Each structure stands twice: as structure tokens, then as C-alpha cells.
Amino acid sequence: MFDFLKPAAPAYQNLTPAEFSAALRQPGAVLLDVRRPDEFAGGHLPGAVNIDVTSPDFGSRIAALDNTQPTLVYCRSGARSATAASQLSKAGFGHVANLLGGVMDWPEKLVR
């Protein structure tokens, strides 16, 4: 009873750094860094594409991506990437994962 009061489960997965690392090995996986360009330039995960979630053209830029491929998103702490993951799911991306803790909790070395 009152199930309508419960928040809906996110349409994306929240993954720990270890789970996220394993998910990166999926064939065709797209790695999306949704931080600002200056943050991205300071260090990012290898192979990441930078599309700032706060940019006004975020929606049109993600529309150019293949929504059938696994899409893994991250930011600094996991908050902006959760927003981006939600937007990706609403835009029809079928398999979206968010890195819990963002790059702050990422155990591996970042590249520049």
C-alpha cells in the first residue's frame, strides 16, 4: 500500500569502482566524463570522452552517441554523473552505469 509514495528506482546502475572497472571491459563500452573541460584536462580515466553535463548542448551531444552500447559515466564525486546517467536513461540509452564516488574514489592512475 502507498507504493506510489516510494521514489522510483533509477533507470541506471550505480557501480563501485571495482564493478565500474569490470564494466569498462565490455565490448563497445562508451566511457563518458561529464565534468567541466578544465577538470577533464587535470586528469581523467583512459579512453574517456568529455561531455560537460552542465553545458547547454549536453542533450544534443549525447544524442550523437550510440544508445545501444553500454555507457559508463563518471564525474568528480558521483553527483553530476548521477544526473547525467538519469538524462541518458531518459534519452533512450539502455545500459547506463554511474561510478559511485567518482574519480575521488577511483583507485587507478588518471591520464592527462
Side-chain angles (χ1 to χ4, degrees):
M1 189 168 180
F2 299 113
D3 283 341
F4 64 91
L5 296 176
K6 291 182 184 177
Y12 59 88
Q13 292 180 291
N14 285 307
L15 302 179
T16 65
E19 293 167 332
F20 197 84
S21 182
L24 285 172
R25 293 190 281 279
Q26 296 175 84
V30 176
L31 179 58
L32 204 54
D33 183 320
V34 297
R35 298 175 298 159
R36 294 184 322 266
D38 62 306
E39 293 175 290
F40 182 80
H44 56 273
L45 275 63
V49 174
N50 182 221
I51 303 178
D52 181 355
V53 70
T54 64
S55 173
D57 67 346
F58 181 75
S60 62
R61 292 190 64 196
I62 64 169
L65 301 174
D66 183 351
N67 66 4
T68 65
Q69 296 300 322
T71 306
L72 298 112
V73 296
Y74 72 93
C75 65
R76 180 178 172 270
S77 66
R80 285 177 285 176
S81 55
T83 298
S86 178
Q87 290 182 30
L88 287 159
S89 296
K90 288 177 184 171
F93 285 73
H95 178 37
V96 180
N98 174 45
L99 173 59
L100 289 171
V103 294
M104 290 176 53
D105 287 350
W106 187 248
E108 299 172 32
K109 188 172 174 101
L110 301 177
V111 298
R112 291 188 178 177

